[in-house]
Amino acid sequence: MSVLDRIELHQGDLTRLEVDAIVNAANSTLLGGGGVDGAIHRAAGPQLLAECRTLGGCPTGEARLTRGYRLPAPWVIHTVGPVYRGAPDDPRLLADCYRNSLELAAAHQLRRIAFPAISCGVYSYPIEEAAPIALETTCAFLRRHPLPARVVFVLFSPEYYRVYQQELARLREKDP
Ligand code: APR
């Protein structure tokens, strides 16, 4: 079975997914913001912010786990993506977000997790550059770990969904 069989794409709102954990594209304060961060805090309710306050922030590329409170998902993995600068470090930091979030999910025996397109909104990472990093980093992790069993990439727009679809098709050609 190819690791690609453990990857799903979904177009829609990440906050509504019934998975074990959704991944938040947060900022380093972990105190909320706009975009998917704002949507997650609104859906989870004020207890999420209260727990985030106890974490003391999160450096770019790292990940932290909290409960999901009023979200359908019982857990939230908060990760902080790089602000796109076209710098050599950008791809490594973005890959770290996916890898560290997956490590956290595996460490807590979570079976299904869902990612947004980290850094591809306010942080301006071009989706065409970010999608291969997200998918290749995830595949490399899944080859070495039985958990999480499934990873869902949730895209908010049809355009972004199509970019991921094309990238996944490219990977399938390489690894039938
Ligand atoms: N479900 C799924 N995806 C969403 C949702 C949602 N409800 N809302 C937004 N998105 C998408 C955006 O369209 C984008 O493709 O998530 C992707 C990430 O965009 P942002 O949420 O802007 O995150 P990011 O680019 O990583 O910027 C992080 O924005 O919200 C602030 O506090 C956050 O400062 C941090 C910065």
Side-chain angles (χ1 to χ4, degrees):
M1 173 177 171
S2 158
V3 291
L4 292 170
D5 298 329
R6 292 161 61 189
I7 287 177
E8 291 170 42
L9 300 184
H10 176 80
Q11 187 191 326
D13 178 352
L14 179 68
T15 66
R16 305 181 66 79
L17 256 66
E18 297 185 21
V19 290
D20 295 312
I22 60 171
V23 179
N24 181 19
N27 60 58
S28 57
T29 70
L30 294 185
L31 299 181
V36 72
D37 193 5
I40 287 173
H41 276 273
R42 275 193 301 279
Q47 291 169 289
L48 178 60
L49 182 56
E51 182 174 357
C52 285
R53 285 193 199 288
T54 69
L55 299 178
C58 180
T60 299
E62 294 190 20
R64 300 288 186 272
L65 182 78
T66 69
R67 292 202 169 276
Y69 301 102
R70 294 185 194 146
L71 284 162
W75 301 98
V76 180
I77 292 172
H78 305 261
T79 192
V80 180
V83 177
Y84 187 73
R85 293 186 184 82
D89 241 9
D90 290 347
R92 178 182 64 78
L93 287 167
L94 186 60
D96 285 351
C97 287
Y98 287 94
R99 192 178 314 103
N100 287 324
S101 298
L102 288 160
E103 291 280 5
L104 213 42
H108 288 79
Q109 287 84 43
L110 302 183
R111 296 191 53 76
R112 283 189 83 213
I113 79 165
F115 284 100
I118 295 164
S119 284
C120 295
V122 168
Y123 283 2
S124 310
Y125 214 111
I127 188 73
E128 294 77 10
E129 293 181 37
I133 293 169
L135 289 167
E136 288 167 14
T137 304
T138 299
C139 287
F141 184 90
L142 296 181
R143 280 191 200 97
R144 299 192 321 273
H145 298 83
L147 288 180
R150 296 190 79 76
V151 178
V152 189
F153 291 95
V154 181
L155 292 317
F156 212 36
S157 70
E159 294 75 22
Y160 279 26
Y161 182 88
R162 255 193 305 283
V163 172
Y164 265 74
Q165 221 173 14
Q166 287 158 6
E167 191 51 38
L168 210 45
R170 186 183 68 80
L171 290 174
R172 278 198 201 291
E173 274 165 31
K174 271 176 48 179
D175 167 26

